[in-house]
Amino acid sequence: VIVSDLPEMRKLVLESDCGLVLGNEDRSPQKLADVIKVFWENQSLYQQKAQNALTAAETLIWENEQKQLLAYYQSALATSSS
């Protein structure tokens, strides 16, 4: 996974170690090509990041997020009702 340096994208990639973040100053076509080349030339790095992405995808699914959101909203509603 290669992402732009946006807060939530950066957080996801860094926490799950599933890719590389391109800084705002690195958003040129050449820099993107360079990063792709890193993955192409280092298959073990690619495999590691790909496996981490699959692991993250298993936990960052709607069913898990739904439970957290429902708990948050129920807590917020209970607090506001008191």
Side-chain angles (χ1 to χ4, degrees):
V1 176
I2 302 169
V3 298
S4 293
D5 193 9
L6 301 170
E8 286 301 312
M9 300 300 282
R10 169 182 276 284
K11 179 181 174 189
L12 171 69
V13 167
L14 295 180
E15 286 181 358
S16 61
D17 191 29
C18 68
L20 300 172
V21 178
L22 281 181
N24 292 330
E25 67 283 352
D26 299 331
R27 294 177 62 185
S28 70
Q30 183 59 51
K31 185 62 177 177
L32 178 57
D34 292 343
V35 172
I36 292 170
K37 188 176 177 184
V38 167
F39 279 127
W40 183 261
E41 292 177 345
N42 189 339
Q43 286 296 301
S44 63
L45 176 66
Y46 170 78
Q47 291 297 326
Q48 175 193 2
K49 301 293 184 182
Q51 184 57 51
N52 291 348
L54 291 172
T55 300
E58 291 172 0
T59 59
L60 299 172
I61 57 174
W62 171 245
E63 288 79 8
N64 293 341
E65 296 296 315
Q66 177 186 20
K67 291 174 191 173
Q68 292 177 354
L69 285 172
L70 285 174
Y72 171 78
Y73 287 130
Q74 289 170 343
S75 174
L77 289 172
T79 302
S80 68
S81 298
S82 300

